[in-house]
Amino acid sequence: MSELHIIGGGMAGSEAAWQAANAGLSVTIHEMRPKVGTFAHRTGHLAEMVCSNSFRSDDSEQNAVGLLHWEMRAADGLVIAMADRHRLPAGGALAVDRDPFAEAVTEALHAHPNVSVSHEEIIELPTEGQWISATGPLTSPGLAEAIRVATGADQLAFFDAIAPIVYADTIDMDIAWRQSRYDKGETEDERTAYINCPMTKAQYEAFIDALLASDKTAFKEGETAGYFDGCLPIEVMAERGRETLRFGPMKPVGLTNPHAPEDKPYAVVQLRRDNKLGTLYNIVGFQTKMKYGAQTDVFRMIPGLHDASFARLGGIHRNTFIHSPVLLDDQMRLKSQPNIRFAGQITGVEGYVESAAMGMLAGRLAAAEAMGRTLPSVPETTATGALVTHITGGAEAKTFQPMNVNFGLFPPVDAKGGRRGRKDRYRAYTDRAKADWAEWLAAQALDGARGAA
């Protein structure tokens, strides 16, 4: 049986292992936790969620990340299957009960006859055997240095911020209320999955003043902030303009306060359920680099959170990613050392789902190579194909930065009969992607059957 080694047991590494093991490879996951911890992880579970508990929109007809969910389900993805199994009400989003989710992924991989897990830190890039490096944004310093030496290029990094989590029973529901934006969701649980805290203009202005004046984490000497725009600290957003938050995570649209239905809030802070019990809620979009003392003072200014207790305060950390458009070939292999593939956030994709999708693809590519086959290129009309095309040459190398999946990465659709509206255009993208993804999966199944024969 051919062997594959995977460094890192996060979303990408777990999914890569599952896909390769199901294809018949003997897979060893090398995960340094819990022997070697990180500041963000709490357990030794595989696929532990360390930031948000949301896989974002599950709409596969109008949203690119929802389409990626669909593609992963069609490919028998482990991560998306366990996310579905441990889903929490969140309107149209796929939110996950984080601890049971990670436990389920871990149990599934430990139970697979082709998978073994070794808890050790890898600090060198092996020169022999087939490997996938899926260490993610918190790559250990030793391995990061080995990657830098192997690639001949300085590692790239950006600063990522974590949102705080609040104990639900400390939220004042005489002020706050439960409602998903635009009452989105098919069930009552989904339509009431968020807790909303309204602000008047005076309260909003005072909050912005306190935010801007708060004590913040200082960068170390020589470090500069290159934030990913999809995960900006709220202070950075506020520094871009006093109204920025009100048109971002604090937008007051699609919501009606039942305590005062005639009063339209000037701004609204939303909290999303973070566990199945509904005892924890994270503050949506409130990633922060404020110091802990400042966080409690500033966040308790939010109406409804004046007596809030925090299960976790926000934080900021350095994320590492490689210069993929220059360093990787179209099979996700390191050009200078092709026995190693890279997958997940370290390649410059952003988000749980995107990381798992790149792990899914890397695992399949590795399995095909081990069996003497080459997979057909993933159609760039699909969400998975658009992502891998972006990181392996589609992006402008000089300005390469981490990217979530979005329809801007897809080849344009033909405007039959004239210009399409946005909904029709997005549906055209997803219809085309689903057909092309199904055809790509079917071609692999046929090729595998021929190989077995």
Side-chain angles (χ1 to χ4, degrees):
M1 185 181 291
S2 297
E3 294 185 357
L4 173 67
H5 295 267
I6 297 174
I7 310 173
M11 299 291 177
S14 296
E15 189 62 51
W18 182 256
Q19 296 288 332
N22 284 343
L25 268 64
S26 174
V27 179
T28 300
I29 301 172
H30 301 268
E31 170 53 59
M32 66 182 187
R33 295 179 293 110
K35 288 184 178 180
V36 180
T38 76
F39 82 95
H41 290 88
R42 298 181 297 106
T43 74
H45 295 318
L46 303 175
E48 180 182 340
M49 306 177 84
V50 298
C51 190
S52 167
N53 72 320
S54 176
F55 279 44
R56 312 194 319 277
S57 174
D58 200 35
D59 184 349
S60 70
E61 296 182 356
Q62 292 290 312
N63 192 285
V65 75
L67 173 62
L68 199 54
H69 293 176
W70 185 94
E71 292 178 6
M72 292 173 68
R73 290 182 180 112
D76 296 323
L78 173 65
V79 167
I80 195 71
M82 295 302 102
D84 286 336
R85 182 179 298 180
H86 296 284
R87 183 172 192 151
L88 297 174
L94 175 54
V96 174
D97 197 354
R98 64 177 73 217
D99 288 340
F101 161 79
E103 290 165 4
V105 172
T106 303
E107 289 170 5
L109 287 168
H110 276 288
H112 200 295
N114 293 348
V115 177
S116 61
V117 181
S118 175
H119 292 286
E120 61 193 345
E121 182 181 7
I122 303 293
I123 59 173
E124 297 289 343
L125 286 178
T127 57
E128 297 181 355
Q130 190 171 190
W131 291 73
I132 295 174
S133 179
T135 50
L138 300 181
T139 299
S140 68
L143 183 58
E145 176 61 15
I147 292 170
R148 188 195 68 79
V149 171
T151 60
D154 289 338
Q155 66 180 25
L156 302 179
F158 64 98
F159 288 89
D160 201 1
I162 296 174
I165 294 176
V166 177
Y167 289 107
D169 60 3
T170 66
I171 301 171
D172 187 345
M173 297 305 295
D174 289 334
I175 296 174
W177 77 96
R178 299 179 186 276
Q179 182 188 8
S180 295
R181 204 178 297 278
Y182 298 110
D183 296 310
K184 197 167 185 178
E186 297 181 0
T187 67
E188 183 65 17
D189 268 354
E190 291 174 337
R191 290 189 290 272
T192 58
Y194 292 79
I195 292 178
N196 303 280
C197 299
M199 280 188 177
T200 64
K201 183 175 182 179
Q203 289 169 331
Y204 177 81
E205 294 292 347
F207 178 77
I208 296 297
D209 287 339
L211 196 60
L212 294 173
S214 64
D215 288 336
K216 302 171 183 71
T217 302
F219 297 114
K220 296 178 182 178
E221 185 177 353
E223 291 182 340
T224 57
Y227 297 107
F228 169 56
D229 276 346
C231 203
L232 284 174
I234 54 171
E235 312 83 35
V236 174
M237 285 190 275
E239 288 166 359
R240 294 182 174 185
R242 296 183 67 87
E243 292 289 284
T244 302
L245 287 170
R246 206 169 72 85
F247 285 88
M250 296 175 67
K251 57 181 177 289
V253 299
L255 299 164
T256 301
N257 183 354
H259 304 304
E262 301 302 319
D263 295 338
K264 298 301 180 184
Y266 189 74
V268 173
V269 174
Q270 283 200 308
L271 296 91
R272 181 180 57 236
R273 188 186 299 185
D274 204 76
N275 65 347
K276 189 172 184 179
L277 294 174
T279 56
L280 301 174
Y281 278 74
N282 65 69
I283 311 181
V284 177
F286 268 47
Q287 301 85 4
T288 180
K289 62 175 183 173
M290 283 189 289
K291 292 183 177 180
Y292 284 172
Q295 287 186 48
T296 55
D297 291 342
V298 172
F299 292 146
R300 284 174 181 158
M301 294 177 66
I302 298 170
L305 301 187
H306 49 275
D307 290 325
S309 292
F310 296 88
R312 183 190 71 193
L313 289 167
I316 188 166
H317 58 275
R318 187 179 180 93
N319 277 358
T320 303
F321 64 98
I322 64 172
H323 204 177
S324 293
V326 172
L327 300 175
L328 302 184
D329 67 14
D330 61 1
Q331 293 283 303
M332 303 176 73
R333 296 174 299 205
L334 189 61
K335 293 176 183 177
S336 62
Q337 203 170 321
N339 70 308
I340 298 173
R341 282 181 167 82
F342 281 81
Q345 280 191 247
I346 197 169
T347 65
V349 298
E350 179 65 23
Y352 294 138
V353 184
E354 289 88 341
S355 297
M358 292 301 93
M360 171 185 68
L361 181 57
R364 285 176 172 249
L365 290 169
E369 183 176 336
M371 296 172 185
R373 304 198 306 269
T374 300
L375 289 188
S377 297
V378 187
E380 61 181 26
T381 53
T382 66
T384 304
L387 274 175
V388 73
T389 298
H390 176 75
I391 64 174
T392 59
E396 177 60 50
K398 290 182 179 179
T399 57
F400 181 64
Q401 286 290 317
M403 180 70 72
N404 288 121
V405 68
N406 62 84
F407 287 127
L409 301 179
F410 291 56
V413 291
D414 294 331
K416 295 179 180 179
R419 185 175 180 180
R420 297 176 187 257
R422 186 177 66 177
K423 286 187 176 181
D424 288 342
R425 187 170 69 254
Y426 288 174
R427 182 61 184 266
Y429 278 124
T430 58
D431 285 348
R432 180 183 65 178
K434 290 175 182 179
D436 291 351
W437 183 251
E439 184 177 342
W440 183 75
L441 290 176
Q444 290 176 63
L446 180 61
D447 188 40
R450 288 171 178 166

